[in-house]
Amino acid sequence: VLFLQPAVRQESVSLLPSHVAVLVDSSQSMQISDGERSRAEIALEVLHNQVPALTADHSTSRVVDLYRFGDRLAAIAPDSLRASADFSDDKTDLGEALHKLFADDARRALSGVIVISDGADNASSERRVSDLPTGVPIHTVWVGKSGLSDLAIGPLGIDEFGFVRTAMKLEVDLRISGQTAAQWVGREVPVWLRQDGVVLGTESVRIEADRHNYPVTFSFSPDRVGKHLVEVSAPVLPSETIVDNNARSFVLKVLRDKTRVLLVAGRPSWDERFLRSMLKHDPNIDLISFFILRTPSDLELVPPEELSLIPFPTEELFRQQLPSFDVIFLQNFDYAPYGMGVYLDEIRRYVENGGGLAMLGGDQAFTQGGYAGTPVGDLLPIELLPASFPVDKLVALGPFQLQLTPEGERHPVMALRPSPVDNRALLSQLPPLSGTNLVAGLRSGATALATHPTLRDPSGQPLPVLSVGDAGKGRVLTLTTDSLWRWSFAAKEQDHPYERLWENAIRWLVHDPDSSLLRLHLERSEFSPGQVVNLELETLGTDYRPQGHAQAQLTISRLGSDRLEPLDAKTVTTSSDGQSRLELGPYEPGSYRISAHATLSGRPQEAEEALVVRASSRERQEPEARDDLLRLLAQKSNGRFLESGDSLADLPFAAPQVEEISRHHDVEWWSSTGVFAGAVFSLLAYWILRRRWGFA
């Protein structure tokens, strides 16, 4: 016993003061007025008039901790909420706020919680209520009022990306509350879908007495690639409380699911066969191809209805279906025998409105095909020799190695390999081409990507073989040889130079963003009111190097009810690296389009971006005050559900569960005189008894 050194510890214990956490909803929905006062004003009245009563009873030691919650929980000083009147959070997540409160180790002495809110939670907190710790009552104070009259466009169900000429479905959740009090029952409400201010569709909804959610579905097909401003809206109804949630906008990015290509060849050939096979097997291309096997001058010994070869459908292709194509290939094609002269203006308008055209060489192409002086001939990036030239002066035979120009080294069409050095090395190893059409030279403003190594045009410049140029909003490419198919037999099959060149050419013809000389970049598409819009503008030359000190006209337009209304304009000059960074705005809620115009290397260039400044947050999209979550929370925690006029003075709270040891003292038994004397007496008595009983 002496070896174990037993002792007694004497402790002085006191209970920690109990803590009551008061959580005040600081979300934007608290700014809404259900009557004469806003919900925030009612909450502040409860906070400052009734919360002090929780500590009025001096028989209990109680501390009140004040918090605000919306998108997150934050402790605040007692007077800071009234001083700042900051009810600006765009989300209400009561479940997350309570979980964070209970997870804080400093709140071990928590004896109760009071939540002051309108109950307009938009974070699915109901699912997390059952996970809260038990034993601590949560009292809820509802500062809202049911019966708010409002119509709101709820969340939109649609993908961020769409595909041109492909049907899309847009699902809208129309939310209506307080319809009976506002006498809206039975009213027909139209819902409009607009794209860039143009109405795409209208659906009608009949308001019912006890129904709050009305699903509305729109179907539409974007008709062009780019970023579109899409808006779903409904009219403002009489006596409606909130009007800025009657419309909802977003930016829809429309891409190409498949590039629609029309290939018209004058006759079957190796060049036609290889090009058609490549286009046909590309999963990103939807190909319609025709090559002529029967001409109007062919002698027919049987009635036309008995022939298996149909006549060339010029009317259907070049008048009815032409706008549906992204790119047209005219491959060694003479239009005259098919009465196509009346359609050349249609092709010209198609290109000038943004289409792509590629003309490929052969003995029926360019001047031999009769295009000199025609609307199509005037679109080409090369000048054609007149039709009066002798036929033997229109074609040059013999093999040649394609010569890359300095502009071609950096142009995306000729990017067969990522590195310019590797690209030049690959081109030098490719099989030589054979034969080329002769032309008068390069048209002003066009770019020669590759030339003949020895032949010259009439002005003495290298003869252009592969050339590109702009025509209105569209783009045109010319290749004056019909022997490019030889590249399919390149030594290194992994390079696929033939397929790579035509893939690059098609992307350039359809205005792929990576091929534009003028580019705009936004950090995102949606902004909040008051936010600054950061925009980056980039200018490139025809060689796709940065073009510094270039001027661009920037126009910011706001989408009105049916059209874009110019809002601001400015001139921007890029730095030496061809870039300029700007801060725009802040802008009022609405939809905006930013357009840039510049002349780069003598060519007019355009670029566009779109953005939306949100008219209302989630808080104002679902503004109705609800008591269901607050009632459920109080019920599950053995708390009380109160309304703003009820007293907080007699609320029950749990007893403090944590004790605090202020001091302690250890008393060792063996160190006292009595214990020592008792031990000595016991040993002495044990010895005497053993002697008397004869054990010694």
Side-chain angles (χ1 to χ4, degrees), residues 417-663:
R417 283 181 173 175
S419 167
V421 176
D422 294 341
N423 202 37
R424 286 193 296 270
L426 174 62
L427 286 168
S428 66
Q429 300 168 8
L430 293 176
L433 306 182
S434 178
T436 181
N437 297 88
L438 299 178
V439 297
L442 195 66
R443 191 181 297 276
S444 175
T447 301
L449 305 183
T451 60
H452 197 284
T454 58
L455 296 178
R456 297 289 186 268
D457 63 25
S459 65
Q461 297 298 319
L463 184 72
V465 177
L466 180 58
S467 307
V468 294
D470 296 329
K473 296 181 179 179
R475 290 175 173 176
V476 184
L477 177 145
T478 56
L479 178 65
T480 61
T481 180
D482 62 352
S483 59
L484 194 69
W485 58 273
R486 296 170 182 262
W487 282 10
S488 293
F489 300 100
K492 295 184 178 180
E493 295 182 357
Q494 67 270 21
D495 290 314
H496 303 291
Y498 180 79
E499 291 82 357
R500 181 67 59 84
L501 184 139
W502 284 123
E503 290 170 356
N504 293 345
I506 290 172
R507 282 198 295 268
W508 181 82
L509 287 168
V510 299
H511 295 265
D512 187 272
D514 291 336
S515 65
S516 176
L517 302 182
L518 179 63
R519 304 174 184 181
L520 292 177
H521 306 281
L522 278 177
E523 56 183 343
R524 58 181 183 275
S525 297
E526 287 196 1
F527 295 83
S528 300
Q531 279 189 322
V532 173
V533 178
N534 294 312
L535 177 72
E536 181 178 312
L537 184 143
E538 184 179 7
T539 54
L540 304 172
T542 54
D543 57 359
Y544 284 84
R545 288 180 176 178
Q547 181 171 327
H549 310 293
Q551 281 194 348
Q553 302 298 322
L554 206 63
T555 303
I556 299 94
S557 303
R558 181 174 181 177
L559 185 63
S561 58
D562 57 354
R563 60 188 175 88
L564 287 170
E565 302 170 353
L567 184 68
D568 191 13
K570 56 182 64 182
T571 301
V572 181
T573 302
T574 58
S575 58
S576 58
D577 61 355
Q579 295 185 347
S580 180
R581 294 172 177 82
L582 303 92
E583 289 188 353
L584 305 177
Y587 297 119
E588 295 295 323
S591 300
Y592 298 85
R593 185 173 295 282
I594 303 174
S595 303
H597 301 266
T599 300
L600 303 174
S601 301
R603 302 177 181 180
Q605 301 289 330
E606 296 181 358
E608 288 187 338
E609 267 287 0
L611 64 97
V612 170
V613 179
R614 293 194 300 267
S616 59
S617 65
R618 287 173 290 184
E619 289 292 309
R620 299 182 71 82
Q621 292 291 339
E622 305 173 17
E624 185 176 12
R626 304 194 313 272
D627 61 353
D628 51 348
L629 177 63
L630 300 181
R631 290 183 183 274
L632 178 65
L633 188 60
Q635 177 185 356
K636 285 187 172 294
S637 64
N638 295 320
R640 292 183 184 176
F641 171 81
L642 307 173
E643 296 189 9
S644 57
D646 297 336
S647 173
L648 308 182
D650 57 347
L651 291 178
F653 295 101
Q657 300 297 318
V658 180
E659 297 177 341
E660 184 181 52
I661 301 173
S662 57
R663 58 189 178 88

Side-chain angles (χ1 to χ4, degrees), residues 112-310:
V113 179
I114 298 176
V115 177
I116 304 175
S117 173
D118 59 0
D121 188 279
N122 47 37
S124 302
S125 294
E126 184 174 338
R127 293 180 299 179
R128 305 198 64 189
V129 166
S130 58
D131 299 334
L132 292 173
T134 58
V136 178
I138 302 176
H139 308 292
T140 57
V141 181
W142 188 42
V143 296
K145 184 186 297 183
S146 59
L148 178 74
S149 299
D150 184 66
L151 180 149
I153 303 294
L156 304 178
I158 191 171
D159 293 332
E160 184 180 355
F161 298 92
F163 299 100
V164 66
R165 293 187 296 272
T166 300
M168 299 188 66
K169 182 180 290 186
L170 171 61
E171 297 178 348
V172 182
D173 183 15
L174 182 67
R175 299 175 176 179
I176 301 177
S177 57
Q179 56 265 52
T180 302
Q183 299 181 353
W184 296 342
V185 177
R187 178 188 289 267
E188 292 282 348
V189 178
V191 182
W192 299 294
L193 173 67
R194 291 183 175 90
Q195 176 183 302
D196 298 322
V198 179
V199 177
L200 297 183
T202 304
E203 297 290 337
S204 184
V205 170
R206 178 179 290 274
I207 301 178
E208 301 174 11
D210 299 320
R211 186 178 178 185
H212 299 286
N213 294 81
Y214 300 80
V216 179
T217 302
F218 291 98
S219 294
F220 66 103
S221 300
D223 57 355
R224 63 182 178 87
V225 175
K227 292 185 177 180
H228 299 271
L229 295 168
V230 181
E231 180 188 70
V232 179
S233 62
V236 177
L237 301 181
S239 68
E240 191 172 350
T241 304
I242 302 173
V243 299
D244 59 5
N245 58 8
N246 287 46
R248 200 159 192 160
S249 301
F250 65 97
V251 176
L252 176 65
K253 187 175 183 180
V254 179
L255 310 173
R256 283 185 176 86
D257 182 18
K258 288 190 175 183
T259 302
R260 189 168 166 83
V261 175
L262 172 64
L263 170 62
V264 181
R267 67 163 63 97
S269 66
W270 286 111
D271 201 38
E272 177 273 331
R273 178 179 179 179
F274 275 83
L275 179 59
R276 182 163 60 92
S277 177
M278 188 276 294
L279 296 174
K280 182 179 179 181
H281 291 92
D282 190 330
N284 297 316
I285 290 178
D286 181 14
L287 175 65
I288 304 295
S289 65
F290 289 90
F291 57 92
I292 307 303
L293 294 177
R294 168 191 168 195
T295 67
S297 61
D298 289 339
L299 181 62
E300 300 174 1
L301 301 179
V302 295
E305 60 270 13
E306 296 184 13
L307 295 175
S308 60
L309 298 177
I310 65 171

